Amino acid sequence: MAAITHNFKLNTLMTYLILGGVITSNAFAAEQSQQKASDDSDDIEIIQVKGYRGSINAALMAKREAVGTRETIIAEDIGKFPDLNVADSLARVPGISIEEDAGEGRQITIRGLGSRFVKTTINGMESASAGAATDAAGGSNTSRAFDYNVFASELFTQIDVDKTVSAEMEDGGISGNVNLQTARPFQYDGFKGSYNVNARYNDISEDVSPRISFMLSNNWDNKFGVLASVAYSDGTVQSEGSSSVRWTVNNPKYQDDGLPVTQGGTNYLTASPKTLLQENGNYTDDNLDGLYLPRIPRYSIFSKQQKRLGATVAFQYAPTDNLSMNLDILHAALDTTMDEYQYSVLLRDQKDIVPENIHIDDNNTIVAGAYSNAIIRSEARQDKAESDFDQISFSGDWYINDRLQMNFLVGMGKSDLDVPYSRTFALDSAGSTVAYSYDSNIDPLELINNPGGVAIGSGELNSTMPSFAFAAGQAPGATFTRADLENSMVDGNNYAAALTRNRAQTIESENSTVKIDFSYEINDQYTVKFGVGQRSFETEQHDYRSSWKDLNIETNKTSGKSAETRVMDLDNSQINGLLFSTTLDKQGVKFGNDASVPATSTLNDGTWLTPDYNAMMAAFSGRDFFEAKEEYKRTYYIKEEVTTAYAQLNFRHDIFDNELRGNIGLRYVDNKNTSRIVNLDHIYKDGYTAGRGDGANFDNGYSWRESVSKGDEWLPSLNIAYDITEDLVGRFSYSHAITRPKLSDLRSSISVNVPDENDPTASIKRGAGPSLQPYKSKQYDVGLEWYFAEESLIATSLFYKDITGLTKDSSDEVLTQDELDRLGIDIGDMDPSTITWQVSQLVNTDAEGMWGAEFIYQQPFTFLPAPFNNLGLQSNYTYIDYSRDVEDPFYGTELNLIEEETSKNSYNITLYYEEESWSARFSYNYRSGYNKQYLNEYKDESTFVRGYDAKAKLNFSARYELSESMSVSFEAVNLTDEKQEQWNDIYTQRPYESLSSGRQFLVGLRGSF
């Protein structure tokens, strides 16, 4: 028999390998395939999955043989997954886009539906993974989205993405199901070891760090096998850029209970403005009204040091030819320490800022402006986050007889996110004169030097990276040189300590699964599958903050400032900025390695005064106001208990001499949800002190309030694949699917804004509680695949989903004192009968339709003359049409908006070259802009919707074989240095955040023995 590297025509052996041998490590199927290979040794070639081309073609065969719409990624060997990050690998799959944090894939979307609609399993078991991120990237994960960046990609040998549903699949993924498969010993013959050692370099942090993985495996004749692998990486990735932290409208003509401007009124807001510009010279309330200014324009640095550890242990035992058992153990840990620096202007929530020289564009945006009596704030923040994931699963396949097979799975998993601290220290320079410019043609220094409320100038918003001029602690009127400003910026006497924020958080989750499945082969044409399962998921969150106020237990009243700002009440000699100030360059932190800092800006790493984090920790960490206390309204516990049963008929028929295969089935899901929140009757009205009333009788000072709901679903499915010709496959699928709401929506807790002199808004957001119904979808999929040559494919598919959603239902209510007490709301001495509360709660909505199309082209160019015959192309394109009607809360108008996290267009192109001794490939993926979130909670800002600009990414990878068992590799990530551009306001997309994470380069040595 000849060993052929690149012959991937579908034959009996490959079918067996796909269905039961190499890919699923089923011992009995492997035994059968070996026997079949022996019987047909005269006419079957051995297929080797070798190299990148080999891996994508083995995946192509798996796709062809599948009944539903499936995409597969296969590693050519352990530790040789084709990308650095699992999410990055998935980004090349048709219809998949990724969400990034610090230049690394974090979560995925499938076919235009958000990450919460993706069901992820590991080794066939439902899994949950929660990590932390920057605030702008979503912070700690409290949704159902799976954080792939917790896991080293070297731990996995195969990923299956099912975009259509069958009854035997776990419920919960409307957009698709993703299964991550770790390595098992029966995948390899005899003893095998491998290693992969890399040095990684980030061109912003200029950090060189290790990335290593090892594997040892032994297989004793497919009777018993042991495999262990470990992967470790350690390094720093720095992101830098700018942010506006949203924009706000100046609305001095706001009237309580007034009409919006679209209805002839004067209100741009739905609540009294917190930010107002003062009149000055030519600047009057008339011409300042309706102008948009950035809330906190600033430069930002995020330096994230990550230590990622992953380990797997797998045992396989086949005591007989009919029985195979697997024990899989997986551990993953991601420890992150993020140092964050911000230098900003606090325009938000200020009512005494004086405009001195402003320029606006055609959309009433103050694109450049100088202001006096402003506050400069410089922050140093450090976050520590520890994500730990552990899963153990025991599974098996028992061929009871020639027709009856039993599969079972028992497993437990745990995912913990611990944020032991998130500390922010700030130095403020009050009474400062500042200027910013988002117009590259306007010099902010010129704005500062021409104050006095001159006529409003014109400009244009042509840059997402503003230029700044800061006169720290200086009044307007002087003629400043650039040196004058730089001297004022680094003079610690111009600053004082203003913020000592301390926060912490824990999210602890556990899940368990028990399921048993049977497969009975009635004859060669029909197989019946049926099974039952039970799984549970529990999660509990505790949140700690230093934003509490002083409490009088006797009167149950609060007073004074928030603890985190109480440092300002200390004597000036204790908070003078000279005691705590340093600069970035003295800290060894660089800014501007990648961010395009305008030449006119006075802010750079030498003039960027920053708090000395360690000095402020030493001075204030022992103070009582630095204590982070549990904020009980954020505490919750949720448990889901799901019992399932299904029946499915698989069939294969020859119709017109071509094969029709498919399955039809029904899945039943019985769901019980339990939600617990802290009994606020036991919590004093500061929200941070337990033990009130009957709470004193409990160990923690409080008991829980529990809500329980039950429901069930019947989920039918039909999948058909028909070989129209030898090379042409048609597919059709129909199914019902569900996805449960994100965890934080299932809690019964409330969020309250108590009216005061600064903000008269009275609002209550009730948690929906466990009675909230899941998202439901009826979905259709039709596809056509043409395998027009060996290793080649042209395919297209159309899909349609009718999906229910969630929306907020609001009402105006006057609550009695008893009702307020029951909700734990403290209104002080105010009369409850005079307060009208806007009460909102999530409710389910009717179904709305979405549709899309996918196109795939894949081919090696073997028809070209040498050496071009070693080239190949893998490409795909996805179009999504998914929008729904959303009411703009500021103008009361209904808008038809593209759904959250949905990109209309995405495509991926991989061009590769591969021969026996070396290979190289370029991978390019593109995702069009999308709406990230319909923001409507910022009632004093008048900006609606937050989203991302389009983003493209180019990666390069190359390998050269030194010998049959050793090769060197080079990889480059984000070669084009694409930035992450975020905006807000659906009408005028003003810059929210522009961050660059730079390029990464890896040089490695890979080998096996």
Side-chain angles (χ1 to χ4, degrees):
M1 292 185 293
I4 305 299
T5 301
H6 293 315
N7 187 351
F8 280 90
K9 189 171 183 179
L10 186 65
N11 54 36
T12 305
L13 176 58
M14 178 53 73
T15 301
Y16 272 115
L17 291 175
I18 290 170
L19 294 179
V22 169
I23 295 178
T24 62
S25 301
N26 179 289
F28 179 71
E31 182 76 19
Q32 293 297 307
S33 68
Q34 292 167 7
Q35 180 63 45
K36 182 70 176 178
S38 177
D39 293 343
D40 299 337
S41 59
D42 292 337
D43 56 3
I44 292 183
E45 299 170 320
I46 294 177
I47 309 297
Q48 296 180 359
V49 179
K50 181 179 179 182
Y52 177 76
R53 179 174 164 185
S55 67
I56 64 173
N57 281 286
L60 187 65
M61 295 300 98
K63 176 180 178 66
R64 179 170 183 171
E65 186 62 22
V67 173
T69 301
R70 167 177 285 192
E71 311 292 345
T72 299
I73 304 174
I74 298 174
E76 54 181 294
D77 205 344
I78 183 70
K80 297 177 71 173
F81 214 77
D83 292 276
L84 298 178
N85 179 280
V86 174
D88 289 337
S89 293
L90 286 166
R92 293 187 288 104
V93 171
I96 290 186
S97 300
I98 63 173
E99 298 276 346
E100 289 190 337
D101 179 49
E104 185 176 67
R106 183 189 183 193
Q107 299 169 352
I108 69 168
T109 67
I110 300 179
R111 286 183 164 179
L113 294 176
S115 51
R116 64 190 181 277
F117 292 99
V118 180
K119 180 65 169 281
T120 301
T121 58
I122 298 178
N123 297 329
M125 176 181 164
E126 182 179 28
S127 301
S129 171
T134 61
D135 292 342
S140 298
N141 182 4
T142 59
S143 71
R144 293 184 186 274
F146 190 88
D147 283 346
Y148 288 89
N149 59 339
V150 173
F151 301 92
S153 60
E154 292 90 341
L155 301 178
F156 304 103
T157 57
Q158 180 176 338
I159 302 178
D160 291 313
V161 181
D162 286 291
K163 301 176 188 175
T164 56
V165 177
S166 62
E168 64 183 322
M169 289 183 187
E170 291 277 20
D171 53 277
I174 285 179
S175 66
N177 290 43
V178 177
N179 183 60
L180 309 176
Q181 181 64 54
T182 58
R184 287 174 174 167
F186 284 3
Q187 292 176 246
Y188 310 101
D189 291 330
F191 175 79
K192 183 175 180 64
S194 68
Y195 58 88
N196 190 5
V197 181
N198 290 272
R200 183 177 69 168
Y201 174 78
N202 177 260
D203 67 353
I204 297 184
S205 65
E206 298 181 336
D207 172 73
V208 178
S209 56
R211 181 186 178 101
I212 59 177
S213 64
F214 299 95
M215 184 276 290
L216 289 175
S217 175
N218 204 1
N219 177 2
W220 287 271
D221 297 325
N222 281 347
K223 298 299 182 182
F224 181 72
V226 180
L227 181 147
S229 69
V230 62
Y232 175 80
S233 63
D234 183 0
T236 300
V237 176
Q238 181 168 309
S239 302
E240 58 182 23
S242 64
S243 174
S244 64
V245 196
R246 303 185 303 274
W247 293 67
T248 186
V249 70
N250 190 57
N251 194 190
K253 295 186 176 183
Y254 175 85
Q255 294 180 357
D256 290 333
D257 300 323
L259 295 174
V261 291
T262 54
Q263 299 176 17
T266 59
N267 289 0
Y268 292 92
L269 306 169
T270 58
S272 180
K274 294 181 180 180
T275 303
L276 281 177
L277 297 179
Q278 295 294 305
E279 293 184 302
N280 181 28
N282 290 317
Y283 303 147
T284 66
D285 285 347
D286 286 334
N287 58 24
L288 292 174
D289 190 47
L291 300 185
Y292 285 83
L293 64 154
R295 297 177 68 252
I296 313 178
R298 66 191 186 185
Y299 285 167
S300 306
I301 299 174
F302 303 92
S303 183
K304 179 178 284 190
Q305 183 183 27
Q306 292 185 324
K307 294 182 180 180
R308 181 185 284 111
L309 174 67
T312 70
V313 178
F315 299 90
Q316 286 190 281
Y317 178 47
T320 69
D321 291 343
N322 299 331
L323 177 62
S324 174
M325 294 174 285
N326 315 295
L327 179 65
D328 296 295
I329 302 171
L330 171 63
H331 170 74
L334 178 64
D335 292 348
T336 302
T337 300
M338 185 171 68
D339 291 304
E340 179 180 332
Y341 302 91
Q342 311 278 0
Y343 197 93
S344 54
V345 185
L346 295 186
L347 299 178
R348 62 103 171 99
D349 298 348
Q350 307 295 316
K351 294 185 177 181
D352 52 3
I353 295 176
V354 180
E356 298 288 348
N357 193 337
I358 62 175
H359 293 250
I360 66 172
D361 67 4
D362 294 338
N363 296 309
N364 287 332
T365 306
I366 305 178
V367 296
Y371 306 86
S372 61
N373 200 34
I375 300 174
I376 297 172
R377 170 164 287 184
S378 183
E379 296 181 10
R381 171 176 168 175
Q382 187 176 90
D383 292 4
K384 176 71 174 175
E386 300 168 349
S387 298
D388 286 286
F389 178 93
D390 292 282
Q391 178 175 300
I392 181 170
S393 58
F394 179 58
S395 60
D397 306 288
W398 180 23
Y399 286 79
I400 300 172
N401 56 44
D402 290 344
R403 295 185 179 274
L404 181 63
Q405 177 187 0
M406 182 188 78
N407 308 95
F408 66 87
L409 172 66
V410 180
M412 296 183 64
K414 187 175 183 181
S415 176
D416 293 340
L417 172 62
D418 182 17
V419 182
Y421 63 83
S422 173
R423 302 170 183 146
T424 305
F425 297 109
L427 298 176
D428 282 5
S429 179
S432 297
T433 301
V434 300
Y436 67 83
S437 176
Y438 285 91
D439 186 330
S440 59
N441 299 309
I442 299 176
D443 187 336
L445 179 58
E446 294 298 319
L447 298 180
I448 283 184
N449 285 335
N450 291 278
V454 297
I456 294 177
S458 63
E460 62 176 344
L461 186 60
N462 57 26
S463 175
T464 59
M465 187 73 177
S467 180
F468 286 109
F470 297 100
Q474 308 300 308
T479 300
F480 298 99
T481 66
R482 183 183 181 93
D484 292 333
L485 298 187
E486 291 176 347
N487 289 333
S488 73
M489 292 169 64
V490 297
D491 185 351
N493 284 308
N494 292 327
Y495 301 80
L499 180 71
T500 57
R501 175 175 292 158
N502 188 18
R503 294 180 176 178
Q505 183 184 32
T506 62
I507 301 176
E508 298 179 347
S509 303
E510 294 184 1
N511 61 293
S512 63
T513 297
V514 177
K515 60 180 180 179
I516 184 169
D517 302 286
F518 293 91
S519 176
Y520 180 71
E521 183 180 339
I522 300 173
N523 52 41
D524 291 342
Q525 295 179 325
Y526 295 102
T527 299
V528 175
K529 290 187 173 183
F530 55 95
V532 294
Q534 198 281 332
R535 65 180 189 267
S536 68
F537 175 76
E538 299 177 70
T539 186
E540 185 170 330
Q541 174 181 279
H542 296 267
D543 205 290
Y544 306 83
R545 303 192 173 211
S546 61
S547 51
W548 45 270
K549 294 182 178 181
D550 282 336
L551 171 71
N552 184 322
I553 290 182
E554 298 298 325
T555 62
N556 197 18
K557 303 289 185 181
T558 60
S559 62
K561 293 180 179 178
S562 171
E564 63 184 24
T565 63
R566 205 169 295 175
V567 66
M568 292 188 290
D569 295 335
L570 299 179
D571 186 81
N572 288 337
S573 63
Q574 297 177 284
I575 61 175
N576 187 283
L578 273 179
L579 300 172
F580 314 110
S581 60
T582 183
T583 57
L584 287 185
D585 57 353
K586 292 178 181 178
Q587 295 287 92
V589 179
K590 295 184 178 181
F591 177 72
N593 276 357
D594 201 60
S596 301
V597 180
T600 54
S601 183
T602 63
L603 188 60
N604 54 58
D605 48 19
T607 62
W608 185 322
L609 179 139
T610 184
D612 186 322
Y613 178 89
N614 292 326
M616 294 194 76
M617 271 292 294
F620 303 118
S621 61
R623 297 278 186 166
D624 58 351
F625 55 70
F626 195 66
E627 181 185 1
K629 299 181 180 180
E630 182 167 7
E631 189 173 12
Y632 290 104
K633 70 179 181 181
R634 298 178 183 271
T635 304
Y636 64 83
Y637 165 89
I638 294 170
K639 182 176 183 179
E640 294 178 342
E641 299 168 276
V642 181
T643 302
T644 62
Y646 77 92
Q648 177 175 305
L649 177 66
N650 291 5
F651 52 87
R652 286 177 180 263
H653 279 283
D654 282 341
I655 298 180
F656 303 116
D657 296 325
N658 292 314
E659 184 180 77
L660 173 73
R661 58 190 179 278
N663 59 65
I664 184 171
L666 182 66
R667 186 175 189 85
Y668 173 73
V669 181
D670 181 82
N671 194 81
K672 177 183 177 182
N673 291 332
T674 302
S675 172
R676 296 175 186 165
I677 61 171
V678 170
N679 186 345
L680 295 180
D681 289 342
H682 300 161
I683 308 302
Y684 287 90
K685 291 184 180 178
D686 67 337
Y688 294 86
T689 305
R692 178 186 174 200
D694 291 340
N697 300 324
F698 297 90
D699 291 339
N700 294 323
Y702 65 86
S703 66
W704 297 92
R705 282 182 174 167
E706 182 174 285
S707 302
V708 178
S709 70
K710 296 180 180 180
D712 58 8
E713 303 287 343
W714 293 90
L715 306 174
S717 62
L718 170 67
N719 296 278
I720 295 174
Y722 179 58
D723 294 335
I724 301 171
T725 68
E726 183 179 352
D727 300 319
L728 194 64
V729 180
R731 302 184 189 278
F732 173 78
S733 297
Y734 168 77
S735 63
H736 289 201
I738 61 172
T739 291
R740 293 173 182 82
K742 67 179 184 179
L743 300 171
S744 54
D745 288 341
L746 290 173
R747 60 182 177 177
S748 304
S749 54
I750 64 171
S751 176
V752 179
N753 187 79
V754 178
D756 57 30
E757 58 183 12
N758 295 319
D759 182 7
T761 305
S763 63
I764 300 173
K765 298 178 185 177
R766 294 182 183 271
S771 60
L772 194 65
Q773 293 295 304
Y775 299 90
K776 300 178 183 179
S777 175
K778 295 179 182 179
Q779 40 201 42
Y780 305 82
D781 193 291
V782 59
L784 191 63
E785 299 166 6
W786 181 26
Y787 297 85
F788 61 95
E790 286 189 2
E791 310 173 45
S792 303
L793 170 67
I794 292 176
T796 183
S797 62
L798 296 174
F799 51 89
Y800 176 84
K801 299 176 187 287
D802 204 29
I803 310 172
T804 63
L806 299 178
T807 190
K808 285 185 178 178
D809 183 36
S810 298
S811 61
D812 294 330
E813 301 178 23
V814 176
L815 304 178
T816 65
Q817 187 61 55
D818 288 343
E819 290 172 319
L820 293 172
D821 289 342
R822 190 160 54 251
L823 294 172
I825 300 175
D826 177 18
I827 62 172
D829 297 327
M830 289 183 285
D831 182 354
S833 65
T834 64
I835 303 174
T836 300
W837 298 86
Q838 185 183 61
V839 182
S840 62
Q841 183 171 346
L842 280 173
V843 295
N844 295 101
T845 65
D846 294 334
E848 295 188 61
M850 62 90 73
W851 71 275
E854 290 177 353
F855 304 91
I856 301 171
Y857 168 61
Q858 177 176 325
Q859 185 178 20
F861 298 149
T862 52
F863 54 87
L864 295 177
F868 304 105
N869 58 334
N870 290 317
L871 284 168
L873 184 68
Q874 184 183 18
S875 62
N876 58 75
Y877 166 77
T878 303
Y879 173 81
I880 305 291
D881 187 335
Y882 185 23
S883 60
R884 61 186 178 96
D885 293 333
V886 181
E887 182 179 325
D888 181 331
F890 299 103
Y891 299 137
T893 54
E894 195 165 271
L895 304 176
N896 186 258
L897 300 179
I898 297 175
E899 176 62 298
E900 293 175 335
E901 299 186 6
T902 298
S903 292
K904 272 199 167 187
N905 299 282
S906 62
Y907 59 85
N908 306 280
I909 301 173
T910 297
L911 179 67
Y912 63 87
Y913 185 93
E914 184 169 295
E915 59 177 40
E916 287 299 322
S917 60
W918 70 278
S919 65
R921 70 178 185 273
F922 285 95
S923 294
Y924 182 85
N925 61 64
Y926 170 85
R927 180 182 187 181
S928 63
Y930 60 97
N931 300 328
K932 174 61 178 175
Q933 188 177 12
Y934 302 150
L935 293 174
N936 61 7
E937 61 260 43
Y938 303 119
K939 302 179 184 301
D940 62 319
E941 295 178 18
S942 190
T943 52
F944 183 50
V945 185
R946 172 172 66 92
Y948 286 90
D949 284 345
K951 185 173 183 179
K953 196 170 184 178
L954 178 65
N955 296 343
F956 173 76
S957 177
R959 171 190 58 84
Y960 179 77
E961 285 191 3
L962 300 174
S963 67
E964 289 187 3
S965 60
M966 183 180 296
S967 62
V968 292
S969 62
F970 172 76
E971 299 180 68
V973 179
N974 193 23
L975 272 172
T976 53
D977 193 21
E978 290 292 322
K979 296 174 175 58
Q980 186 162 280
E981 306 277 5
Q982 194 174 171
W983 53 263
N984 78 313
D985 193 349
I986 193 66
Y987 303 103
T988 302
Q989 294 184 0
R990 302 179 178 90
Y992 178 106
E993 184 176 70
S994 176
L995 285 180
S996 174
S997 299
R999 304 172 182 88
Q1000 296 186 63
F1001 303 94
L1002 291 95
V1003 178
L1005 181 67
R1006 190 195 310 268
S1008 61
F1009 51 89

